Amino acid sequence: MKSFDLSFEFPAITKAIAAMLSESVGPPPDMRSLGQRTYDSFQRNQNLDLIRPRDWRHVPYALWITKNTGLCSRSDVIERYLNKELPRSIAEIKRPLKWGRPLVFIYVEEFKVNDPLFRRLAGATKNFFNSPVLNNTSSIVNLTRELNLFDLIEGPKKTALSIVQSRRSIKDWISLHELWPGFATSPFAMAAFTALLTSSDEVRRSDDYIKLIFEWSSDEEGNLRYPGVRVKLIESLLMPWRDRDPSDSVKSRVMTFLLRHFGDPRIGKNLWVGVSQEAVQVFNGWIVGRTLDTFFKILRDTADSIWEHRQKFWMAYFKKGHIDEVWVVLGPSAAEALKRLSDTRHLKYANLLGSSANQSVLLIRIGSMIFCEWSHDGRLRAQRVNSSLAPSLYKSYYESNNLKFQSLDFNNEQLKDPGLVHFSSTTGGWQERARIFIQKHTGVKLSQTEVTR
């Protein structure tokens, strides 16, 4: 008898068979409504033998209707479902994945690892999908086995690893595995994301990891998907850098992300509550660097004639780790200059009132001393932090007179105003005087070459 190649002679049949063998999980139904109808059916029929097979199949949807309602309280239903109806679906029913889908959806959308019933359901779901009756070519069966999806510990970890190794966005990974779009916002996805946040420092320093964290943690509107893991997210991005400095590109991207979603920890601390002090210190150190860099760019753009000399002086102290805090105060023109710097749009600052529009002020704390660096022919002033004359940091605005306070003396009592005029910048005149003053009052010692080169 002549044999036929079905794949050639009957392509439609071959395609249909392949589709059946690779059956995807598809989108979830209206689980709340379906669960309520299933729950009502069981409440009407106390004789479990009268329950329709369809209602037995939908039991997972009805377990947790609300916090206080659901079949989770019906031990008779639960025992029969787990011990009789679900095992029978594997042995006797032609399309067991019709029973498997409710298990997948509820496992992903509920994922309550501390609930004893959920743990039992997860175990039953794992046994169901590991049954040899289910064809491994089905996309959902293959995925659940590959990721050990229904193991409460390994499932989230392996899912996170799969997404990382795919080098795809969460959206593309979901599409690749024929899952439903809402998967990304599910409690299971949050557990997988949380597992990702516990990766090694080496992994968390990689560009691929940082890119994935940014993409996965935010929805299409740019809002955080999982506000409940706020602390772990912040620490995951900062703690790998506690003993080393990232590239300027990485630092800029991480800072922009954290400032956008959580604000500046120096002035709006609510969203930073619970974050370790070590992580906050890492971030504050970055903010100091960015603020200094931004301040000198503003001086450049507002035509301060000695901005480069100021930059060399103060950056020398920053690079040696001696600057503890900084805050910028900007006149209207200086504030406009800040807005033109796209990479600093989330950086906070104070408004300067009662002064020239292009003037700006840099407040710097080194140890127990606060310095007030005025731009555009303004003086450098200094005072002890605990002095009543010293300005407070992180205010939203300052009157210019309050930043022209009585300074400690830079001039050996030779001038009426003890503040320091920025004289002889090119030959290191004011730099030498300021350097000696800082050394005398803070103990921080830098050479003249270091502050002028």
Side-chain angles (χ1 to χ4, degrees):
M1 179 181 291
K2 184 178 179 180
S3 62
F4 295 92
D5 182 352
L6 292 180
S7 64
F8 178 78
E9 299 289 341
F10 304 103
I13 295 176
T14 303
K15 184 177 180 180
I17 292 173
M20 290 177 63
L21 292 176
S22 60
E23 187 175 7
S24 65
V25 68
D30 182 349
M31 293 187 289
R32 181 176 294 277
S33 297
L34 190 52
Q36 186 64 57
R37 291 199 298 270
T38 303
Y39 176 75
D40 292 342
S41 178
F42 275 90
Q43 292 300 90
R44 288 193 302 268
N45 297 292
Q46 296 299 313
N47 184 348
L48 298 185
D49 291 332
L50 298 179
I51 299 295
R52 299 175 301 173
R54 177 182 177 181
D55 290 326
W56 279 114
R57 191 170 77 239
H58 293 156
V59 161
Y61 297 135
L63 289 174
W64 298 281
I65 303 296
T66 67
K67 183 177 181 180
N68 300 312
T69 307
L71 292 179
C72 58
S73 62
R74 290 282 303 273
S75 60
D76 57 335
V77 174
I78 292 167
E79 295 305 322
R80 178 157 173 172
Y81 173 78
L82 293 176
N83 297 323
K84 182 177 180 180
E85 301 298 337
L86 187 59
R88 187 173 67 180
S89 72
I90 286 285
E92 300 178 6
I93 298 173
K94 291 182 180 180
R95 296 187 65 186
L97 278 181
K98 293 180 70 175
W99 286 70
R101 285 193 185 93
L103 292 168
V104 172
F105 294 139
I106 289 301
Y107 178 81
V108 169
E109 297 293 343
E110 290 290 339
F111 202 74
K112 42 181 72 176
V113 297
N114 295 321
D115 186 298
L117 175 56
F118 184 85
R119 297 178 74 89
R120 286 189 67 191
L121 188 69
T125 304
K126 184 176 182 178
N127 292 335
F128 181 96
F129 278 90
N130 283 338
S131 170
V133 174
L134 292 180
N135 195 313
N136 200 43
T137 60
S138 170
S139 60
I140 186 59
V141 174
N142 184 59
L143 183 66
T144 60
R145 292 175 179 177
E146 176 186 337
L147 301 181
N148 198 8
L149 194 73
F150 302 113
D151 184 287
L152 297 175
I153 304 301
E154 289 299 312
K157 288 182 179 180
K158 289 194 172 184
T159 298
L161 182 62
S162 173
I163 296 170
V164 170
Q165 292 178 340
S166 74
R167 306 188 74 174
R168 298 172 183 265
S169 68
I170 180 67
K171 182 179 180 180
D172 289 344
W173 185 89
I174 287 172
S175 177
L176 174 68
H177 293 289
E178 300 178 321
L179 300 172
W180 61 103
F183 179 92
T185 59
S186 67
F188 176 84
M190 184 174 74
F193 182 76
T194 303
L196 178 65
L197 298 180
T198 64
S199 301
S200 68
D201 283 356
E202 182 179 0
V203 170
R204 288 186 287 163
R205 284 192 286 262
S206 70
D207 286 342
D208 286 343
Y209 176 89
I210 294 169
K211 179 181 178 182
L212 178 60
I213 287 294
F214 290 168
E215 185 275 329
W216 190 350
S217 65
S218 304
D219 61 22
E220 293 181 357
E221 287 72 41
N223 301 314
L224 290 177
R225 279 199 174 105
Y226 318 117
V229 298
R230 167 185 58 85
V231 170
K232 291 181 180 178
L233 172 58
I234 293 172
E235 293 185 349
S236 174
L237 290 169
L238 293 176
M239 291 301 285
W241 308 108
R242 59 193 179 277
D243 57 357
R244 64 186 66 191
D245 211 25
S247 67
D248 289 342
S249 173
V250 167
K251 185 184 294 186
S252 179
R253 285 184 286 134
V254 173
M255 284 186 67
T256 298
F257 176 86
L258 292 177
L259 285 170
R260 175 186 178 186
H261 289 292
F262 306 107
D264 189 329
R266 302 171 303 171
I267 57 178
K269 298 182 179 180
N270 288 347
L271 293 177
W272 289 80
V273 171
V275 178
S276 70
Q277 187 60 36
E278 193 172 11
V280 173
Q281 287 175 349
V282 170
F283 193 61
N284 283 345
W286 292 0
I287 290 180
V288 167
R290 174 176 278 196
T291 302
L292 288 170
D293 182 63
T294 300
F295 179 76
F296 298 121
K297 287 179 179 177
I298 291 171
L299 295 194
R300 176 197 64 196
D301 292 350
T302 55
D304 179 271
S305 61
I306 62 166
W307 72 269
E308 290 179 287
H309 299 288
R310 299 180 195 266
Q311 182 181 45
K312 290 176 183 178
F313 183 86
W314 292 113
M315 290 304 293
Y317 285 92
F318 171 70
K319 290 176 180 178
K320 292 290 187 177
H322 298 307
I323 294 182
D324 299 299
E325 296 180 271
V326 294
W327 187 234
V328 290
V329 190
L330 306 177
S333 297
E336 287 300 316
L338 172 65
K339 293 176 183 178
R340 293 192 293 270
L341 301 172
S342 60
D343 61 338
T344 62
R345 60 185 178 275
H346 296 293
L347 196 66
K348 300 297 183 181
Y349 66 93
N351 291 298
L352 179 61
L353 307 179
S355 188
S356 300
N358 66 347
Q359 278 205 295
S360 50
V361 180
L362 180 65
L363 297 174
I364 306 166
R365 182 175 71 83
I366 298 178
S368 62
M369 297 294 297
I370 186 122
F371 297 85
C372 183
E373 173 80 313
W374 277 84
S375 71
H376 296 84
D377 299 322
R379 294 175 183 254
L380 171 62
R381 300 178 183 278
Q383 192 52 261
R384 296 180 182 86
V385 171
N386 60 4
S387 169
S388 60
L389 300 174
S392 300
L393 295 172
Y394 312 127
K395 294 171 65 175
S396 59
Y397 69 91
Y398 294 83
E399 294 284 351
S400 62
N401 288 338
N402 293 333
L403 297 182
K404 295 177 180 178
F405 53 85
Q406 181 70 21
S407 174
L408 298 177
D409 188 23
F410 283 88
N411 307 309
N412 299 318
E413 300 181 353
Q414 295 178 10
L415 298 176
K416 183 177 180 180
D417 189 328
L420 178 62
V421 174
H422 295 82
F423 69 95
S424 304
S425 294
T426 56
T427 58
W430 67 266
Q431 296 97 315
E432 172 74 1
R433 196 170 292 181
R435 180 185 68 81
I436 293 173
F437 179 95
I438 292 173
Q439 180 176 328
K440 175 182 177 182
H441 289 276
T442 69
V444 174
K445 184 177 182 180
L446 266 66
S447 69
Q448 180 73 350
T449 301
E450 287 176 301
V451 299
T452 56
R453 64 182 176 188

